[in-house]
């Protein structure tokens, strides 16, 4: 019985969406935008230009469009920069990770807890 209920719910949703789509298709503003889009696509075909080419041309006309590139989101945030100062030698190490050659040498020589205490804020 659950499948039949799901079927009728989806059918009602489709009918509702079909009505909304009909209303949108009657909208003059949408018709105008679609007509403009079709004309731009026809021009792109006529002059053998890609959307990227058109964007370059438009950014030359209006430089504020040059930054309109859609960038992929960064994978993850950078780790914070940590600074360690060896009180025995005065040497300073800046790192974003804990696996630093000099830090590891200090940890072996002075101990992990001691080196952790050398971290600057």
């Amino acid at each position: 019985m659950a499948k039949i209920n799901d079927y009728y719910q989806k059918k009602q949703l489709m009918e509702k969406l079909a009505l909304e789509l009909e209303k949108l298709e009657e909208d003059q503003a949408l018709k105008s935008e679609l007509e403009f889009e079709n004309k731009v696509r026809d021009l792109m075909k006529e002059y053998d230009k890609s959307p990227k080419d058109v964007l370059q041309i438009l950014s030359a006309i209006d430089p504020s469009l040059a930054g309109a590139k859609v960038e992929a989101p960064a994978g993850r945030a950078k780790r914070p920069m940590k600074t360690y100062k060896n009180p025995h030698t005065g040497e300073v190490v800046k790192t974003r990770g804990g696996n630093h050659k000099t830090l590891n040498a200090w940890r072996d020589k002075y101990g992990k807890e001691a080196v952790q205490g050398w971290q600057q804020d």
Side-chain angles (χ1 to χ4, degrees):
M1 281 307 257
K3 282 191 175 194
I4 197 164
N5 289 338
D6 191 38
Y7 169 79
Y8 283 117
Q9 284 178 346
K10 291 193 184 332
K11 190 169 183 161
Q12 286 177 343
L13 181 60
M14 280 181 49
E15 290 170 359
K16 179 183 173 190
L17 290 174
L19 287 173
E20 289 179 22
L21 189 58
E22 281 180 35
K23 286 181 184 176
L24 277 174
E25 289 172 347
E26 293 171 4
D27 186 14
Q28 278 307 118
L30 177 64
K31 285 181 182 180
S32 175
E33 287 181 30
L34 290 172
E35 181 182 355
F36 177 74
E37 179 188 3
N38 289 332
K39 287 182 179 180
V40 169
R41 288 181 187 274
D42 290 342
L43 279 172
M44 287 170 49
K45 284 180 190 174
E46 181 180 339
Y47 289 95
D48 193 32
K49 296 293 180 185
S50 70
K52 186 177 181 180
D53 296 331
V54 173
L55 188 57
Q56 285 179 333
I57 293 167
L58 292 175
S59 65
I61 295 169
D62 184 359
S64 68
L65 295 175
K69 293 180 182 177
V70 178
E71 295 183 20
R76 68 178 207 197
K78 284 186 175 181
R79 291 181 179 181
M81 181 67 75
K82 293 183 179 179
T83 305
Y84 298 86
K85 183 175 181 182
N86 185 329
H88 304 286
T89 63
E91 188 178 1
V92 176
V93 171
K94 292 184 178 186
T95 181
R96 291 193 186 277
N99 195 17
H100 190 278
K101 182 179 177 181
T102 305
L103 278 179
N104 287 337
W106 290 351
R107 288 182 186 120
D108 291 341
K109 187 172 181 179
Y110 302 106
K112 185 177 179 180
E113 290 79 19
V115 173
Q116 191 65 33
W118 301 345
Q119 185 176 341
Q120 310 281 308
D121 290 320

